Amino acid sequence: MIEFKNVSKAYAQKKILDHANFKIESRDFFVLVGPSGSGKTTTLKMINQLISQTEGQILIDGQDTKTVDLRQLRLSIGYVLQQIALFPNLTVAENIELIPEMKGWDKKKRQARSRELMELVGLDPEVYAQRIPIELSGGEQQRVGILRAIASEPNIVLMDEPFSALDPISRRQLQIFIKDLQKKLQLTIVFVTHDLNEALLLADCVAIMNDGLIQQIDKPSEIFHHPANKFVAHFFQEYHQDLSQSQVSDLHLTEQTSDYSLKEVSADLSISDLINELAQEKVIRFGNYIITSDDIVRFLAGASAV
């Protein structure tokens, strides 16, 4: 568990974060969302002490992060940036193995781990291990960046707008990928975004931020139905008007890659258009996932609950 206890951060007279008190439960996908300058990235970077708080305590499993060795703290937490930042002169395998090597893993263990992770995410080690970053697409580079962050088996991974520079198709693929990976590996992920749709797609718990203040923290459906104040309600206003395809995370998707006879739908479809498609097809394909009419019924039942 990560706990912020009365945490503030100020530069000169300006408070970037103002007396924040909240907990991030272990194995949750926790998303910080809000407009630019709201304090999201500062909050994220205080977890691994890349930025030190002015006031208050940050505890990880009950231990004050200011009392532990900084190098060990940072090596124990995965970190993924918007700027992919792979080392251009290292191969894919060497990039993935970098943190395990810094932590003293032997070569055999490092290589086994990098192969295991590449296979887990569909990057054939025989094809990708010896490539260098310039030979990869943007989406592949970011996937390798994520693998590097989790290679040393951290319990916590911090992600600072990691998909914002990608094209829409690559971005949606990686959103589904990271949510699936988080569930498989039981990771605690703290994720920063300014995109509400992305937040609602990924999050178990969302923190809405503005001007250095936490406006509301709750499950996405609770915030959607019960905004805490006018700012949160306004932030959700456009989303209220058009439930979007980003809510596909709530459909409990079933992975299915073998049946290519199913109709494939666009990632840009709204929920209402998806319902129309399902009324005709009953089962449709979204990337490597299958959505059925039963999924939509379960989703709408949950979305309409107060």
Side-chain angles (χ1 to χ4, degrees):
M1 177 192 293
I2 303 167
E3 184 174 5
F4 278 58
K5 298 179 73 172
N6 207 34
V7 174
S8 296
K9 179 63 182 178
Y11 293 102
Q13 301 301 312
K14 181 175 175 57
K15 278 195 173 180
I16 307 301
L17 186 67
D18 192 1
H19 294 94
N21 289 280
F22 62 92
K23 295 177 181 179
I24 301 172
E25 298 295 335
S26 296
R27 296 181 294 278
D28 262 9
F29 203 122
F30 186 93
V31 178
L32 295 157
V33 64
S36 297
S38 59
K40 306 182 299 296
T41 293
T42 297
T43 302
L44 181 87
K45 288 183 175 180
M46 285 193 288
I47 294 172
N48 64 354
Q49 289 294 296
L50 286 174
I51 294 176
S52 183
Q53 68 267 29
T54 308
E55 303 175 64
Q57 287 182 299
I58 299 170
L59 309 177
I60 296 179
D61 294 333
Q63 188 169 25
D64 190 329
T65 56
K66 280 197 171 182
T67 68
V68 300
D69 180 82
L70 275 180
R71 183 176 185 274
Q72 292 304 314
L73 174 69
R74 291 169 185 168
L75 286 177
S76 70
I77 297 174
Y79 192 39
V80 183
L81 297 164
Q82 176 183 338
Q83 299 80 16
I84 301 165
L86 298 179
F87 288 93
N89 58 323
L90 300 182
T91 66
V92 165
E94 288 168 339
N95 268 285
I96 294 171
E97 294 168 26
L98 188 63
I99 303 302
E101 183 176 7
M102 293 174 69
K103 294 181 74 172
W105 290 26
D106 64 55
K107 185 175 182 179
K108 185 176 180 180
K109 183 179 178 182
R110 296 196 310 264
Q111 290 178 338
R113 178 62 171 167
S114 67
R115 290 184 65 88
E116 173 194 3
L117 289 175
M118 281 188 275
E119 289 170 352
L120 179 67
V121 302
L123 296 176
D124 184 350
E126 300 301 325
V127 176
Y128 286 92
Q130 298 308 310
R131 289 186 179 179
I132 58 174
I134 198 172
E135 298 174 321
L136 307 177
S137 69
E140 288 170 340
Q141 288 184 39
Q142 194 61 293
R143 195 167 295 215
V144 173
I146 293 168
L147 296 186
R148 183 177 63 187
I150 67 173
S152 63
E153 301 177 341
N155 293 321
I156 298 170
V157 178
L158 310 179
M159 306 186 77
D160 189 5
E161 301 209 47
F163 309 143
S164 60
L166 300 174
D167 65 87
I169 294 175
S170 295
R171 184 171 186 169
R172 181 52 53 85
Q173 289 172 341
L174 281 170
Q175 287 166 347
I176 295 171
F177 158 73
I178 194 60
K179 184 66 175 178
D180 185 53
L181 195 65
Q182 183 255 342
K183 289 179 179 178
K184 284 179 179 176
L185 300 182
Q186 295 291 288
L187 298 170
T188 302
I189 292 183
V190 186
F191 189 103
V192 164
T193 182
H194 64 274
D195 184 339
L196 181 60
N197 285 336
E198 184 167 67
L200 297 179
L201 172 66
L202 295 173
D204 296 313
C205 188
V206 175
I208 310 290
M209 296 189 68
N210 189 45
D211 289 336
L213 294 171
I214 305 288
Q215 302 292 320
Q216 188 171 359
I217 297 179
D218 212 327
K219 294 179 180 179
S221 59
E222 287 299 311
I223 297 178
F224 180 83
H225 292 296
H226 306 291
N229 55 40
K230 289 183 179 179
F231 172 81
V232 177
H234 179 72
F235 198 58
F236 271 72
Q237 186 174 9
E238 289 185 8
Y239 189 77
H240 272 278
Q241 292 170 355
D242 181 19
L243 295 175
S244 75
Q245 172 64 19
S246 66
Q247 292 169 301
V248 75
S249 62
D250 291 323
L251 300 179
H252 308 292
L253 302 179
T254 302
E255 188 160 14
Q256 169 61 265
T257 59
S258 59
D259 185 358
Y260 290 95
S261 64
L262 298 175
K263 181 173 182 179
E264 185 162 1
V265 300
S266 166
D268 297 326
L269 282 185
S270 67
I271 287 293
S272 59
D273 288 335
L274 246 147
I275 292 170
N276 290 334
E277 289 284 353
L278 282 165
Q280 301 175 49
E281 302 289 335
K282 304 302 181 186
V283 183
I284 55 179
R285 174 183 296 283
F286 174 81
N288 287 337
Y289 293 84
I290 300 303
I291 304 174
T292 71
S293 52
D294 288 341
D295 292 323
I296 291 289
V297 169
R298 286 197 300 270
F299 166 73
L300 290 175
S304 61
V306 177

